Amino acid sequence: MSKIYIVEDDRSIREELAELLRNSGYEAECLMDFANSRAEVLSAKADLILMDINIPNLNGEQLLKEIRKETDTPVIMVTSRTFETDEVLSMSYGADDYITKPYNPTILLLRISAVLKRSAATASVQTYNGLQVNDAKGSLSDGGREMTLTKNEMIIFRFMLDRKGSIVTRDELMTALWDNDEFVNDNALTVNISRLRSKLAELGCEEAVETRKKQGYILR
Amino acid sequence: MKLWDYLKDRLWFFFIAAVSLGLMLLFLTAFRVSGQLTATICVIFGFFLIAEETAGFLRKKRFYDDMQGKLDGLDKKYLIHEMLKKPSFLDGQILFDALCEANKSMCENVAEYKRTADDFREFIEMWVHEIKLPVASLQLMAHNHSDELGEKFQEQLRRIDGYTDQVLYYARSENAEKDYIIKETPLRRTVANVALKNRESAQLCGAFIETEGLDLSVMTDGKWLEFMLGQLMANSLKYTVEGREPVIRISAEELPDRVLLHFRDNGTGIPEADLPRIFDKSFTGENGRSYAKSTGMGLYIVRSLCERLGHSITASSVKGEYTEFTIAFAKNQFYKMI
């Protein structure tokens, strides 16, 4: 379970954010003592840090600069300031991503998992039910047969695979697709899911994607 | 300054001179002064008159002609006193001092307004960043405790966010200070961010978003461009034609000296009579009246931001068919070389 450290001085956002992360299967810890922000952040040994810019004492950008001297833990800057300068500065100090408040929670989660995946760096060949998932080729194979997925199908499959066993809403799938420049509509999503189903069935995984009425889908 | 105007202005003086000459002649005749002496006195008097008037005219002409010439050439006319030399004659000096005095007072007055405006803008900027915290907080709450209401709340929160952004960018567009940075911005990322932000409203009306040729980078401020495209997209999603599938087409093309970004929809279009005025402040037009209520600020802000960034924006439309906005980004050879 990845541990995410939240640096945020607004109590209400901090608590909701922690809840969101816990609900999504992450371990969440918050910075409480802003006077020692640097030491606290470093001692937390998190896998990823969510950092606000407007925080007491050292601001987020300075804190990031300090942290970068010690460790290269991934950092996502989250801020309500919409200045291009802030983004450029944060990126130059070594932030891995930059998100402005208010944000769509699903997008935040997508960005977190993307950054974590990037930092894990080990191109782990993921498997699903004995199928090898090849991201680079965009295909699934069971050793012998190989099934090529379209870009959309791959995005959907990846998203569900990361949340295997829990409900994925259509809205979340939509966000994942749009986040990858695939501006599909509702019908297209339905078509993509049924194609993905039949491709999985051809590889021997019948009933892999289960539909939950009015809730979404589950990858079994 | 024309001689004739000057002479007309000096009419009183000539009248008094004529009266004194008449009196003098009367007395000279009364004292039986010889005709030759009278003639000499008249000549001297005449000489004095001409010499005095010529000198006075030339002195004033030099100063006032200089002033008028400079005034015509200046684009900031209130700076005129900085350009003038203090004249040598009294009334000119008084005028010159008065000009300086008036100008100083005006500068103080303007500075005070500027300070007030700056303070206000700073406050707006700060306020917008503050209001985004509760909005972010509510959005997280709506997501965490999602039931049927969650999505409805999200929708309203997005509206709040949209309106606060409008205020923020209005304040920024009206201000003379430079608070943007121009750097190479990939169009694909910017367009994707805008699409992502408007995904829910786009899906609500079943809109298609098509893109083409967006693998270009332009010199602009990414955040500002995102806001501008967001405004255009909000309009496109608002003014749709009933029974026609809304399609928004965003494409870019590269020309030798600039990059054009086309933003085209197949919505209601803009009546020809309204088209020249859509970028005007508070202009709502036919669409603004007959469709959803409109503030007439969105496109005005978009154009102001474009002007500040040095882009140009144009619109073309056929009513009932389409609206197309085109933003032209200049290419900077200097940056390319680095």
PDB file of all heavy atoms in Angstrom, chain A residues 12 16 20 80 82-84 87-88 102-103 111 171 174-175 179 181 185, chain B residues 125 129 137 139 141 143-144 168 172 183 188 192 196 199 203 208 223:
ATOM      1  N   SER A  12     -10.327  21.389   6.640  1.00  0.00           N
ATOM      2  CA  SER A  12     -11.422  20.680   5.984  1.00  0.00           C
ATOM      3  C   SER A  12     -10.930  19.939   4.734  1.00  0.00           C
ATOM      4  O   SER A  12     -11.246  18.761   4.522  1.00  0.00           O
ATOM      5  CB  SER A  12     -12.496  21.704   5.642  1.00  0.00           C
ATOM      6  OG  SER A  12     -13.324  21.233   4.657  1.00  0.00           O
ATOM      7  N   GLU A  16     -10.809  15.765   4.190  1.00  0.00           N
ATOM      8  CA  GLU A  16     -11.527  15.153   3.069  1.00  0.00           C
ATOM      9  C   GLU A  16     -10.549  14.447   2.124  1.00  0.00           C
ATOM     10  O   GLU A  16     -10.837  13.394   1.584  1.00  0.00           O
ATOM     11  CB  GLU A  16     -12.323  16.215   2.301  1.00  0.00           C
ATOM     12  CG  GLU A  16     -13.481  16.805   3.070  1.00  0.00           C
ATOM     13  CD  GLU A  16     -14.551  15.778   3.439  1.00  0.00           C
ATOM     14  OE1 GLU A  16     -14.725  14.801   2.669  1.00  0.00           O
ATOM     15  OE2 GLU A  16     -15.175  15.933   4.496  1.00  0.00           O
ATOM     16  N   LEU A  20     -10.527  10.655   1.038  1.00  0.00           N
ATOM     17  CA  LEU A  20     -10.547  10.259  -0.380  1.00  0.00           C
ATOM     18  C   LEU A  20      -9.439   9.251  -0.667  1.00  0.00           C
ATOM     19  O   LEU A  20      -9.658   8.228  -1.324  1.00  0.00           O
ATOM     20  CB  LEU A  20     -10.361  11.500  -1.259  1.00  0.00           C
ATOM     21  CG  LEU A  20     -10.169  11.251  -2.751  1.00  0.00           C
ATOM     22  CD1 LEU A  20     -11.500  10.901  -3.399  1.00  0.00           C
ATOM     23  CD2 LEU A  20      -9.555  12.461  -3.437  1.00  0.00           C
ATOM     24  N   SER A  80      -4.276  26.645  -5.063  1.00  0.00           N
ATOM     25  CA  SER A  80      -5.391  27.422  -5.595  1.00  0.00           C
ATOM     26  C   SER A  80      -4.876  28.600  -6.416  1.00  0.00           C
ATOM     27  O   SER A  80      -5.640  29.354  -6.967  1.00  0.00           O
ATOM     28  CB  SER A  80      -6.270  27.926  -4.457  1.00  0.00           C
ATOM     29  OG  SER A  80      -5.556  28.837  -3.661  1.00  0.00           O
ATOM     30  N   THR A  82      -3.476  30.320  -9.557  1.00  0.00           N
ATOM     31  CA  THR A  82      -3.450  29.973 -10.972  1.00  0.00           C
ATOM     32  C   THR A  82      -2.478  30.876 -11.716  1.00  0.00           C
ATOM     33  O   THR A  82      -2.822  31.540 -12.665  1.00  0.00           O
ATOM     34  CB  THR A  82      -4.837  30.126 -11.599  1.00  0.00           C
ATOM     35  OG1 THR A  82      -5.337  31.398 -11.221  1.00  0.00           O
ATOM     36  CG2 THR A  82      -5.775  29.065 -11.128  1.00  0.00           C
ATOM     37  N   PHE A  83      -1.259  30.909 -11.231  1.00  0.00           N
ATOM     38  CA  PHE A  83      -0.238  31.662 -11.956  1.00  0.00           C
ATOM     39  C   PHE A  83       0.652  30.679 -12.694  1.00  0.00           C
ATOM     40  O   PHE A  83       1.114  29.700 -12.112  1.00  0.00           O
ATOM     41  CB  PHE A  83       0.648  32.451 -10.995  1.00  0.00           C
ATOM     42  CG  PHE A  83       0.038  33.736 -10.538  1.00  0.00           C
ATOM     43  CD1 PHE A  83      -0.240  33.941  -9.205  1.00  0.00           C
ATOM     44  CD2 PHE A  83      -0.237  34.737 -11.444  1.00  0.00           C
ATOM     45  CE1 PHE A  83      -0.805  35.123  -8.774  1.00  0.00           C
ATOM     46  CE2 PHE A  83      -0.800  35.928 -11.022  1.00  0.00           C
ATOM     47  CZ  PHE A  83      -1.076  36.124  -9.691  1.00  0.00           C
ATOM     48  N   GLU A  84       0.887  30.972 -13.948  1.00  0.00           N
ATOM     49  CA  GLU A  84       1.786  30.115 -14.709  1.00  0.00           C
ATOM     50  C   GLU A  84       3.169  30.113 -14.040  1.00  0.00           C
ATOM     51  O   GLU A  84       3.855  29.104 -14.021  1.00  0.00           O
ATOM     52  CB  GLU A  84       1.884  30.630 -16.157  1.00  0.00           C
ATOM     53  CG  GLU A  84       2.672  29.748 -17.090  1.00  0.00           C
ATOM     54  CD  GLU A  84       1.879  28.556 -17.628  1.00  0.00           C
ATOM     55  OE1 GLU A  84       0.658  28.533 -17.471  1.00  0.00           O
ATOM     56  OE2 GLU A  84       2.513  27.653 -18.181  1.00  0.00           O
ATOM     57  N   GLU A  87       3.599  27.435 -11.502  1.00  0.00           N
ATOM     58  CA  GLU A  87       3.774  26.107 -12.084  1.00  0.00           C
ATOM     59  C   GLU A  87       5.205  25.935 -12.599  1.00  0.00           C
ATOM     60  O   GLU A  87       5.861  24.925 -12.334  1.00  0.00           O
ATOM     61  CB  GLU A  87       2.770  25.901 -13.222  1.00  0.00           C
ATOM     62  CG  GLU A  87       2.915  24.543 -13.858  1.00  0.00           C
ATOM     63  CD  GLU A  87       1.698  24.121 -14.670  1.00  0.00           C
ATOM     64  OE1 GLU A  87       0.655  24.781 -14.586  1.00  0.00           O
ATOM     65  OE2 GLU A  87       1.816  23.117 -15.382  1.00  0.00           O
ATOM     66  N   VAL A  88       5.683  26.967 -13.291  1.00  0.00           N
ATOM     67  CA  VAL A  88       7.027  26.873 -13.849  1.00  0.00           C
ATOM     68  C   VAL A  88       8.062  26.733 -12.730  1.00  0.00           C
ATOM     69  O   VAL A  88       8.967  25.898 -12.794  1.00  0.00           O
ATOM     70  CB  VAL A  88       7.328  28.118 -14.716  1.00  0.00           C
ATOM     71  CG1 VAL A  88       8.777  28.123 -15.160  1.00  0.00           C
ATOM     72  CG2 VAL A  88       6.416  28.151 -15.918  1.00  0.00           C
ATOM     73  N   PRO A 102     -10.011  24.329  -7.434  1.00  0.00           N
ATOM     74  CA  PRO A 102     -10.568  23.028  -7.052  1.00  0.00           C
ATOM     75  C   PRO A 102     -10.353  22.015  -8.177  1.00  0.00           C
ATOM     76  O   PRO A 102     -10.332  22.389  -9.332  1.00  0.00           O
ATOM     77  CB  PRO A 102     -12.052  23.347  -6.904  1.00  0.00           C
ATOM     78  CG  PRO A 102     -12.295  24.523  -7.758  1.00  0.00           C
ATOM     79  CD  PRO A 102     -11.025  25.289  -7.833  1.00  0.00           C
ATOM     80  N   TYR A 103     -10.138  20.774  -7.784  1.00  0.00           N
ATOM     81  CA  TYR A 103      -9.855  19.761  -8.790  1.00  0.00           C
ATOM     82  C   TYR A 103     -10.919  18.677  -8.747  1.00  0.00           C
ATOM     83  O   TYR A 103     -11.623  18.515  -7.768  1.00  0.00           O
ATOM     84  CB  TYR A 103      -8.498  19.126  -8.534  1.00  0.00           C
ATOM     85  CG  TYR A 103      -8.213  18.909  -7.070  1.00  0.00           C
ATOM     86  CD1 TYR A 103      -8.836  17.878  -6.387  1.00  0.00           C
ATOM     87  CD2 TYR A 103      -7.355  19.762  -6.380  1.00  0.00           C
ATOM     88  CE1 TYR A 103      -8.605  17.706  -5.033  1.00  0.00           C
ATOM     89  CE2 TYR A 103      -7.124  19.589  -5.025  1.00  0.00           C
ATOM     90  CZ  TYR A 103      -7.754  18.563  -4.361  1.00  0.00           C
ATOM     91  OH  TYR A 103      -7.549  18.404  -3.030  1.00  0.00           O
ATOM     92  N   ARG A 111      -3.792  11.220 -11.469  1.00  0.00           N
ATOM     93  CA  ARG A 111      -2.447  11.801 -11.509  1.00  0.00           C
ATOM     94  C   ARG A 111      -1.546  11.141 -10.466  1.00  0.00           C
ATOM     95  O   ARG A 111      -0.384  10.868 -10.721  1.00  0.00           O
ATOM     96  CB  ARG A 111      -2.504  13.317 -11.261  1.00  0.00           C
ATOM     97  CG  ARG A 111      -3.273  14.070 -12.300  1.00  0.00           C
ATOM     98  CD  ARG A 111      -2.504  14.121 -13.615  1.00  0.00           C
ATOM     99  NE  ARG A 111      -3.360  14.480 -14.725  1.00  0.00           N
ATOM    100  CZ  ARG A 111      -3.688  15.722 -15.051  1.00  0.00           C
ATOM    101  NH1 ARG A 111      -3.214  16.726 -14.352  1.00  0.00           N
ATOM    102  NH2 ARG A 111      -4.485  15.963 -16.063  1.00  0.00           N
ATOM    103  N   ASP A 171     -18.364   7.319 -14.779  1.00  0.00           N
ATOM    104  CA  ASP A 171     -17.813   8.660 -14.708  1.00  0.00           C
ATOM    105  C   ASP A 171     -16.289   8.635 -14.567  1.00  0.00           C
ATOM    106  O   ASP A 171     -15.572   9.406 -15.200  1.00  0.00           O
ATOM    107  CB  ASP A 171     -18.431   9.373 -13.510  1.00  0.00           C
ATOM    108  CG  ASP A 171     -18.464  10.862 -13.714  1.00  0.00           C
ATOM    109  OD1 ASP A 171     -19.043  11.277 -14.730  1.00  0.00           O
ATOM    110  OD2 ASP A 171     -17.903  11.584 -12.868  1.00  0.00           O
ATOM    111  N   MET A 174     -14.765   7.601 -17.842  1.00  0.00           N
ATOM    112  CA  MET A 174     -14.825   8.747 -18.739  1.00  0.00           C
ATOM    113  C   MET A 174     -13.669   9.707 -18.456  1.00  0.00           C
ATOM    114  O   MET A 174     -12.979  10.155 -19.357  1.00  0.00           O
ATOM    115  CB  MET A 174     -16.126   9.488 -18.444  1.00  0.00           C
ATOM    116  CG  MET A 174     -17.140   9.614 -19.482  1.00  0.00           C
ATOM    117  SD  MET A 174     -16.940   8.820 -21.002  1.00  0.00           S
ATOM    118  CE  MET A 174     -18.418   9.344 -21.754  1.00  0.00           C
ATOM    119  N   THR A 175     -13.480  10.017 -17.167  1.00  0.00           N
ATOM    120  CA  THR A 175     -12.402  10.933 -16.786  1.00  0.00           C
ATOM    121  C   THR A 175     -11.058  10.379 -17.233  1.00  0.00           C
ATOM    122  O   THR A 175     -10.224  11.110 -17.775  1.00  0.00           O
ATOM    123  CB  THR A 175     -12.398  11.139 -15.258  1.00  0.00           C
ATOM    124  OG1 THR A 175     -13.715  11.447 -14.855  1.00  0.00           O
ATOM    125  CG2 THR A 175     -11.476  12.268 -14.867  1.00  0.00           C
ATOM    126  N   ASP A 179      -8.735  12.212 -19.869  1.00  0.00           N
ATOM    127  CA  ASP A 179      -7.421  12.631 -19.394  1.00  0.00           C
ATOM    128  C   ASP A 179      -6.345  12.188 -20.383  1.00  0.00           C
ATOM    129  O   ASP A 179      -5.248  12.728 -20.416  1.00  0.00           O
ATOM    130  CB  ASP A 179      -7.157  12.036 -18.004  1.00  0.00           C
ATOM    131  CG  ASP A 179      -6.004  12.710 -17.308  1.00  0.00           C
ATOM    132  OD1 ASP A 179      -5.883  13.945 -17.463  1.00  0.00           O
ATOM    133  OD2 ASP A 179      -5.228  12.033 -16.623  1.00  0.00           O
ATOM    134  N   ASP A 181      -6.706  12.411 -23.664  1.00  0.00           N
ATOM    135  CA  ASP A 181      -7.060  13.033 -24.944  1.00  0.00           C
ATOM    136  C   ASP A 181      -8.043  12.221 -25.770  1.00  0.00           C
ATOM    137  O   ASP A 181      -8.108  12.372 -26.980  1.00  0.00           O
ATOM    138  CB  ASP A 181      -5.818  13.289 -25.811  1.00  0.00           C
ATOM    139  CG  ASP A 181      -4.857  14.235 -25.150  1.00  0.00           C
ATOM    140  OD1 ASP A 181      -5.296  14.924 -24.214  1.00  0.00           O
ATOM    141  OD2 ASP A 181      -3.702  14.293 -25.569  1.00  0.00           O
ATOM    142  N   ASN A 185     -17.823   9.926 -26.109  1.00  0.00           N
ATOM    143  CA  ASN A 185     -19.091  10.176 -25.420  1.00  0.00           C
ATOM    144  C   ASN A 185     -19.631   8.883 -24.820  1.00  0.00           C
ATOM    145  O   ASN A 185     -18.993   7.838 -24.901  1.00  0.00           O
ATOM    146  CB  ASN A 185     -20.098  10.860 -26.342  1.00  0.00           C
ATOM    147  CG  ASN A 185     -20.470   9.981 -27.514  1.00  0.00           C
ATOM    148  OD1 ASN A 185     -20.068   8.824 -27.589  1.00  0.00           O
ATOM    149  ND2 ASN A 185     -21.226  10.539 -28.435  1.00  0.00           N
TER     150      ASN A 185
ATOM    151  N   GLU B 125      -7.716  39.152  -6.283  1.00  0.00           N
ATOM    152  CA  GLU B 125      -6.815  38.032  -6.550  1.00  0.00           C
ATOM    153  C   GLU B 125      -6.736  37.109  -5.323  1.00  0.00           C
ATOM    154  O   GLU B 125      -6.857  35.892  -5.422  1.00  0.00           O
ATOM    155  CB  GLU B 125      -5.446  38.610  -6.887  1.00  0.00           C
ATOM    156  CG  GLU B 125      -4.416  37.630  -7.349  1.00  0.00           C
ATOM    157  CD  GLU B 125      -4.350  37.524  -8.867  1.00  0.00           C
ATOM    158  OE1 GLU B 125      -4.578  38.516  -9.580  1.00  0.00           O
ATOM    159  OE2 GLU B 125      -4.078  36.430  -9.326  1.00  0.00           O
ATOM    160  N   HIS B 129      -8.435  33.219  -4.611  1.00  0.00           N
ATOM    161  CA  HIS B 129      -7.687  32.052  -4.152  1.00  0.00           C
ATOM    162  C   HIS B 129      -8.242  31.493  -2.854  1.00  0.00           C
ATOM    163  O   HIS B 129      -8.217  30.294  -2.616  1.00  0.00           O
ATOM    164  CB  HIS B 129      -6.211  32.405  -4.011  1.00  0.00           C
ATOM    165  CG  HIS B 129      -5.593  32.745  -5.325  1.00  0.00           C
ATOM    166  ND1 HIS B 129      -4.735  33.796  -5.502  1.00  0.00           N
ATOM    167  CD2 HIS B 129      -5.757  32.181  -6.546  1.00  0.00           C
ATOM    168  CE1 HIS B 129      -4.395  33.858  -6.782  1.00  0.00           C
ATOM    169  NE2 HIS B 129      -5.005  32.886  -7.422  1.00  0.00           N
ATOM    170  N   SER B 137     -12.889  22.018  -1.049  1.00  0.00           N
ATOM    171  CA  SER B 137     -13.294  21.218   0.078  1.00  0.00           C
ATOM    172  C   SER B 137     -14.662  20.575  -0.178  1.00  0.00           C
ATOM    173  O   SER B 137     -14.865  19.380   0.026  1.00  0.00           O
ATOM    174  CB  SER B 137     -13.338  22.140   1.289  1.00  0.00           C
ATOM    175  OG  SER B 137     -13.491  21.432   2.438  1.00  0.00           O
ATOM    176  N   GLN B 139     -16.020  20.048  -3.029  1.00  0.00           N
ATOM    177  CA  GLN B 139     -15.951  19.088  -4.118  1.00  0.00           C
ATOM    178  C   GLN B 139     -15.474  17.723  -3.614  1.00  0.00           C
ATOM    179  O   GLN B 139     -16.009  16.690  -4.012  1.00  0.00           O
ATOM    180  CB  GLN B 139     -14.996  19.607  -5.193  1.00  0.00           C
ATOM    181  CG  GLN B 139     -15.584  19.449  -6.572  1.00  0.00           C
ATOM    182  CD  GLN B 139     -14.853  20.240  -7.613  1.00  0.00           C
ATOM    183  OE1 GLN B 139     -13.650  20.432  -7.521  1.00  0.00           O
ATOM    184  NE2 GLN B 139     -15.576  20.696  -8.605  1.00  0.00           N
ATOM    185  N   MET B 141     -15.870  16.695  -0.545  1.00  0.00           N
ATOM    186  CA  MET B 141     -16.959  16.147   0.276  1.00  0.00           C
ATOM    187  C   MET B 141     -18.007  15.510  -0.612  1.00  0.00           C
ATOM    188  O   MET B 141     -18.494  14.417  -0.339  1.00  0.00           O
ATOM    189  CB  MET B 141     -17.597  17.272   1.093  1.00  0.00           C
ATOM    190  CG  MET B 141     -16.749  17.726   2.251  1.00  0.00           C
ATOM    191  SD  MET B 141     -17.573  19.097   3.087  1.00  0.00           S
ATOM    192  CE  MET B 141     -16.231  19.689   4.099  1.00  0.00           C
ATOM    193  N   HIS B 143     -17.642  14.243  -3.416  1.00  0.00           N
ATOM    194  CA  HIS B 143     -17.131  13.005  -3.991  1.00  0.00           C
ATOM    195  C   HIS B 143     -17.096  11.893  -2.942  1.00  0.00           C
ATOM    196  O   HIS B 143     -17.495  10.767  -3.206  1.00  0.00           O
ATOM    197  CB  HIS B 143     -15.726  13.242  -4.544  1.00  0.00           C
ATOM    198  CG  HIS B 143     -15.155  12.054  -5.261  1.00  0.00           C
ATOM    199  ND1 HIS B 143     -15.339  11.873  -6.607  1.00  0.00           N
ATOM    200  CD2 HIS B 143     -14.433  11.011  -4.820  1.00  0.00           C
ATOM    201  CE1 HIS B 143     -14.748  10.736  -6.962  1.00  0.00           C
ATOM    202  NE2 HIS B 143     -14.184  10.200  -5.900  1.00  0.00           N
ATOM    203  N   ASN B 144     -16.631  12.246  -1.744  1.00  0.00           N
ATOM    204  CA  ASN B 144     -16.500  11.239  -0.689  1.00  0.00           C
ATOM    205  C   ASN B 144     -17.838  10.696  -0.225  1.00  0.00           C
ATOM    206  O   ASN B 144     -17.952   9.531   0.125  1.00  0.00           O
ATOM    207  CB  ASN B 144     -15.762  11.822   0.521  1.00  0.00           C
ATOM    208  CG  ASN B 144     -14.283  11.973   0.247  1.00  0.00           C
ATOM    209  OD1 ASN B 144     -13.767  11.378  -0.686  1.00  0.00           O
ATOM    210  ND2 ASN B 144     -13.616  12.775   1.046  1.00  0.00           N
ATOM    211  N   LEU B 168     -11.503  36.662 -11.709  1.00  0.00           N
ATOM    212  CA  LEU B 168     -10.043  36.699 -11.605  1.00  0.00           C
ATOM    213  C   LEU B 168      -9.415  37.199 -12.908  1.00  0.00           C
ATOM    214  O   LEU B 168      -8.577  38.101 -12.908  1.00  0.00           O
ATOM    215  CB  LEU B 168      -9.520  35.302 -11.276  1.00  0.00           C
ATOM    216  CG  LEU B 168      -8.019  35.141 -11.190  1.00  0.00           C
ATOM    217  CD1 LEU B 168      -7.495  35.908  -9.986  1.00  0.00           C
ATOM    218  CD2 LEU B 168      -7.620  33.679 -11.072  1.00  0.00           C
ATOM    219  N   ARG B 172      -7.367  40.576 -13.992  1.00  0.00           N
ATOM    220  CA  ARG B 172      -6.040  40.498 -14.595  1.00  0.00           C
ATOM    221  C   ARG B 172      -5.987  41.215 -15.932  1.00  0.00           C
ATOM    222  O   ARG B 172      -4.996  41.855 -16.269  1.00  0.00           O
ATOM    223  CB  ARG B 172      -5.651  39.037 -14.803  1.00  0.00           C
ATOM    224  CG  ARG B 172      -5.238  38.374 -13.515  1.00  0.00           C
ATOM    225  CD  ARG B 172      -4.798  36.960 -13.754  1.00  0.00           C
ATOM    226  NE  ARG B 172      -4.436  36.335 -12.491  1.00  0.00           N
ATOM    227  CZ  ARG B 172      -4.099  35.069 -12.365  1.00  0.00           C
ATOM    228  NH1 ARG B 172      -4.080  34.286 -13.423  1.00  0.00           N
ATOM    229  NH2 ARG B 172      -3.781  34.583 -11.197  1.00  0.00           N
ATOM    230  N   LYS B 183       5.610  31.427 -22.561  1.00  0.00           N
ATOM    231  CA  LYS B 183       6.582  30.392 -22.834  1.00  0.00           C
ATOM    232  C   LYS B 183       5.969  29.389 -23.795  1.00  0.00           C
ATOM    233  O   LYS B 183       4.782  29.449 -24.077  1.00  0.00           O
ATOM    234  CB  LYS B 183       7.041  29.717 -21.547  1.00  0.00           C
ATOM    235  CG  LYS B 183       5.975  28.916 -20.840  1.00  0.00           C
ATOM    236  CD  LYS B 183       6.588  28.264 -19.624  1.00  0.00           C
ATOM    237  CE  LYS B 183       5.641  27.362 -18.894  1.00  0.00           C
ATOM    238  NZ  LYS B 183       5.215  26.163 -19.591  1.00  0.00           N
ATOM    239  N   ARG B 188      -1.820  20.576 -27.301  1.00  0.00           N
ATOM    240  CA  ARG B 188      -2.550  19.351 -26.967  1.00  0.00           C
ATOM    241  C   ARG B 188      -2.897  19.290 -25.479  1.00  0.00           C
ATOM    242  O   ARG B 188      -4.015  19.018 -25.088  1.00  0.00           O
ATOM    243  CB  ARG B 188      -1.728  18.115 -27.373  1.00  0.00           C
ATOM    244  CG  ARG B 188      -2.444  16.810 -27.087  1.00  0.00           C
ATOM    245  CD  ARG B 188      -1.781  15.643 -27.765  1.00  0.00           C
ATOM    246  NE  ARG B 188      -1.843  15.709 -29.210  1.00  0.00           N
ATOM    247  CZ  ARG B 188      -2.929  15.393 -29.920  1.00  0.00           C
ATOM    248  NH1 ARG B 188      -4.016  15.003 -29.308  1.00  0.00           N
ATOM    249  NH2 ARG B 188      -2.912  15.489 -31.226  1.00  0.00           N
ATOM    250  N   ALA B 192      -6.567  19.534 -23.819  1.00  0.00           N
ATOM    251  CA  ALA B 192      -7.016  18.397 -23.010  1.00  0.00           C
ATOM    252  C   ALA B 192      -7.485  18.871 -21.636  1.00  0.00           C
ATOM    253  O   ALA B 192      -8.508  18.412 -21.130  1.00  0.00           O
ATOM    254  CB  ALA B 192      -5.890  17.380 -22.859  1.00  0.00           C
ATOM    255  N   LEU B 196     -11.219  18.363 -20.291  1.00  0.00           N
ATOM    256  CA  LEU B 196     -11.401  17.614 -19.044  1.00  0.00           C
ATOM    257  C   LEU B 196     -12.239  18.410 -18.050  1.00  0.00           C
ATOM    258  O   LEU B 196     -13.094  17.887 -17.355  1.00  0.00           O
ATOM    259  CB  LEU B 196     -10.026  17.307 -18.459  1.00  0.00           C
ATOM    260  CG  LEU B 196      -9.894  16.113 -17.532  1.00  0.00           C
ATOM    261  CD1 LEU B 196     -10.433  14.866 -18.194  1.00  0.00           C
ATOM    262  CD2 LEU B 196      -8.439  15.920 -17.154  1.00  0.00           C
ATOM    263  N   ARG B 199     -15.853  18.325 -19.169  1.00  0.00           N
ATOM    264  CA  ARG B 199     -16.335  17.015 -19.605  1.00  0.00           C
ATOM    265  C   ARG B 199     -17.800  16.794 -19.242  1.00  0.00           C
ATOM    266  O   ARG B 199     -18.609  16.404 -20.076  1.00  0.00           O
ATOM    267  CB  ARG B 199     -15.489  15.906 -18.992  1.00  0.00           C
ATOM    268  CG  ARG B 199     -15.898  14.524 -19.435  1.00  0.00           C
ATOM    269  CD  ARG B 199     -15.048  13.468 -18.792  1.00  0.00           C
ATOM    270  NE  ARG B 199     -15.204  13.433 -17.344  1.00  0.00           N
ATOM    271  CZ  ARG B 199     -16.173  12.764 -16.726  1.00  0.00           C
ATOM    272  NH1 ARG B 199     -17.053  12.082 -17.422  1.00  0.00           N
ATOM    273  NH2 ARG B 199     -16.259  12.775 -15.418  1.00  0.00           N
ATOM    274  N   GLN B 203     -20.798  16.174 -21.812  1.00  0.00           N
ATOM    275  CA  GLN B 203     -21.527  14.915 -21.890  1.00  0.00           C
ATOM    276  C   GLN B 203     -23.022  15.117 -21.692  1.00  0.00           C
ATOM    277  O   GLN B 203     -23.826  14.429 -22.287  1.00  0.00           O
ATOM    278  CB  GLN B 203     -21.020  13.963 -20.817  1.00  0.00           C
ATOM    279  CG  GLN B 203     -19.913  13.086 -21.336  1.00  0.00           C
ATOM    280  CD  GLN B 203     -19.408  12.206 -20.236  1.00  0.00           C
ATOM    281  OE1 GLN B 203     -18.382  12.477 -19.652  1.00  0.00           O
ATOM    282  NE2 GLN B 203     -20.152  11.178 -19.946  1.00  0.00           N
ATOM    283  N   PHE B 208     -19.679  16.142 -29.105  1.00  0.00           N
ATOM    284  CA  PHE B 208     -18.462  15.503 -29.577  1.00  0.00           C
ATOM    285  C   PHE B 208     -17.356  16.537 -29.605  1.00  0.00           C
ATOM    286  O   PHE B 208     -17.577  17.667 -30.024  1.00  0.00           O
ATOM    287  CB  PHE B 208     -18.640  14.998 -31.012  1.00  0.00           C
ATOM    288  CG  PHE B 208     -19.305  13.671 -31.085  1.00  0.00           C
ATOM    289  CD1 PHE B 208     -20.655  13.582 -31.406  1.00  0.00           C
ATOM    290  CD2 PHE B 208     -18.589  12.512 -30.853  1.00  0.00           C
ATOM    291  CE1 PHE B 208     -21.277  12.359 -31.480  1.00  0.00           C
ATOM    292  CE2 PHE B 208     -19.210  11.281 -30.932  1.00  0.00           C
ATOM    293  CZ  PHE B 208     -20.556  11.203 -31.244  1.00  0.00           C
ATOM    294  N   LYS B 223      -1.985  29.138 -18.641  1.00  0.00           N
ATOM    295  CA  LYS B 223      -3.167  29.289 -17.801  1.00  0.00           C
ATOM    296  C   LYS B 223      -4.179  30.226 -18.437  1.00  0.00           C
ATOM    297  O   LYS B 223      -5.376  29.993 -18.394  1.00  0.00           O
ATOM    298  CB  LYS B 223      -2.763  29.833 -16.435  1.00  0.00           C
ATOM    299  CG  LYS B 223      -1.932  28.865 -15.622  1.00  0.00           C
ATOM    300  CD  LYS B 223      -2.798  27.901 -14.856  1.00  0.00           C
ATOM    301  CE  LYS B 223      -1.967  26.939 -14.040  1.00  0.00           C
ATOM    302  NZ  LYS B 223      -1.077  26.115 -14.852  1.00  0.00           N
TER     303      LYS B 223
END
